[in-house]
Amino acid sequence: MKYIKIIIFNGILIVALLIGSVVFTPKTNKKAFGVDYVTSNKIFSETKNTVDVIALGDSLVYSSLSPMLIYEKHGYTIYNASTPAQSIYQSYSLLKKIYKTQKPKYIFFEAESLYRRYSFEDDIQNRIGVNIPILRYHNRWKNLTLQDFSTQYQLSDRDYLKGFRYYDKVVPLMKHKKPKAKLQPYALSYLDKIMALTKAHQTKLIFMSLPCAKTWSLERHNQLEKFFKEKGYDFVDFNTLPLNIDWNMDSRDGGDHLNYNGAKKASKYFGKYLAENYDLEDHRKDPKYANYELSLVLYKQRIKQKEMKTDAAPNIDKKEQDDDQKQENQDLISNEGQ
């Protein structure tokens, strides 16, 4: 009888978690509805099967690569599905979801996460946050509406920066400790899963190291170059390429991340690298990609207004950017010393 009660209790608990997760999961991808990392989640509002290149990884990605700048020059459709201190488990889970709406030809993965330390407890928290939404979004109980009791989602809010984040602050290069060149077992275990996932979807996986004076070293470069060569994967290290990065002018935080001036240099070279090494179509005259054309107009407006030091362009939620910056700072602090 005791075991029957335990089974019944566990069964009720599981059902409650399942129902609660459906209710508490945001039904739209807007910040006001409790969505984490709005810019990366807006990829699910993109027209089905229109994104040819996905960039995964941490804040180095969304600070360095501007998809719309590359689209303007080459017509390639790229989306930055990056988040602050993105763990490799989060990259893997996000990529699985992306494959439900997109068939990218190429995945570019920032290799920095392979050096990020995670414990067993961190792994469990990552899994719970992704797989049990009610625990992740429990604070939404105050803002629940009738729409939340439906299983229908309205993912209509798009990001015309396509995951890129604009930073114009300039902080000259600071001194940084030499980073350790030790690949983490936790990361490598999920790296194998990502490799298997991209193969199953016939997507070419390319690894990269984007410009960073804080975490890059020649030792890491040599280690990653050898590691990926043995695995049979392309690896491009932008720290070794002639981007002409001036860390006293092109960084927003003393050499850790690029600002917009640095991102222009990295994006220009990235577009050239894609054109010279991979098979991508120019979609600029294709009506199917009209949302990229509209995004380009809005992108140019934002850049122009920023450079004129006026207010932010229409459709930009300043509070959303401030919240993202706070979250990024918290994540980076929690992962110091990695």
Side-chain angles (χ1 to χ4, degrees), residues 11-223:
I12 294 174
L13 178 61
I14 291 172
V15 172
L17 287 173
L18 290 174
I19 295 175
S21 291
V22 171
V23 173
F24 278 76
T25 298
K27 302 305 186 295
T28 177
N29 55 355
K30 296 181 179 180
K31 185 72 176 180
F33 287 81
V35 176
D36 295 330
Y37 308 128
V38 173
T39 52
S40 60
N41 274 284
K42 286 182 181 178
I43 188 173
F44 302 114
S45 297
E46 294 296 311
T47 304
K48 190 174 182 179
N49 299 330
T50 57
V51 181
D52 291 336
V53 179
I54 303 291
L56 286 173
D58 59 14
S59 50
L60 291 178
V61 181
Y62 64 66
S63 298
S64 302
L65 300 180
S66 172
M68 293 317 304
L69 193 153
I70 298 170
Y71 177 82
E72 180 182 18
K73 176 69 175 178
H74 301 278
Y76 303 152
T77 52
I78 303 169
Y79 202 100
N80 275 353
S82 52
T83 56
Q86 186 176 95
S87 73
I88 196 166
Y89 178 79
Q90 291 170 328
S91 301
Y92 173 64
S93 299
L94 184 57
L95 185 56
K96 285 200 297 183
K97 289 178 63 178
I98 288 172
Y99 275 128
K100 294 179 181 180
T101 59
Q102 301 293 334
K103 294 181 179 178
K105 297 180 69 174
Y106 303 100
I107 300 292
F108 279 82
F109 187 88
E110 167 57 53
E112 170 64 23
S113 65
L114 299 182
Y115 293 104
R116 198 180 300 280
R117 293 197 305 270
Y118 281 93
S119 65
F120 175 76
E121 290 76 14
D122 294 327
D123 184 33
I124 296 299
Q125 290 179 2
N126 273 323
R127 289 170 176 269
I128 289 175
V130 171
N131 298 313
I132 308 180
I134 189 174
L135 300 181
R136 181 179 181 183
Y137 297 113
H138 65 276
N139 288 329
R140 293 192 63 240
W141 67 271
K142 296 179 180 179
N143 302 313
L144 292 178
T145 65
L146 288 176
Q147 181 183 349
D148 288 302
F149 291 86
S150 168
T151 57
Q152 299 298 315
Y153 295 84
Q154 297 179 0
L155 304 180
S156 58
D157 201 26
R158 285 179 172 158
D159 178 23
Y160 66 79
L161 300 183
K162 307 303 179 187
F164 173 67
R165 304 190 194 182
Y166 182 102
Y167 298 97
D168 53 12
K169 188 176 182 180
V170 178
V171 178
L173 182 65
M174 303 175 183
K175 289 185 178 181
H176 298 288
K177 294 187 298 183
K178 184 178 180 181
K180 296 179 181 178
K182 184 178 180 181
L183 298 172
Q184 298 298 314
Y186 170 88
L188 295 179
S189 67
Y190 278 105
L191 180 63
D192 290 336
K193 294 178 183 292
I194 290 175
M195 289 176 173
L197 182 62
T198 52
K199 285 182 179 179
H201 287 272
Q202 298 180 326
T203 307
K204 184 174 179 61
L205 177 62
I206 303 105
F207 294 92
M208 62 182 176
S209 285
L210 289 166
C212 183
K214 180 179 179 180
T215 61
W216 183 87
S217 69
L218 183 58
E219 185 181 8
R220 280 193 175 189
H221 166 82
N222 292 336
Q223 183 183 53

Side-chain angles (χ1 to χ4, degrees), residues 304-322:
K304 182 179 179 180
Q305 291 185 351
K306 273 290 188 179
E307 290 178 343
M308 293 174 64
K309 296 184 179 181
T310 60
D311 293 334
N315 302 321
I316 278 290
D317 185 346
K318 185 177 185 302
K319 183 178 184 301
E320 175 181 310
Q321 287 191 323
D322 290 342

Side-chain angles (χ1 to χ4, degrees), residues 224-239:
L224 291 172
E225 190 172 55
K226 179 181 178 182
F227 177 79
F228 291 121
K229 183 177 181 180
E230 291 175 350
K231 292 280 188 180
Y233 286 87
D234 293 349
F235 170 63
V236 53
D237 189 343
F238 287 87
N239 294 277

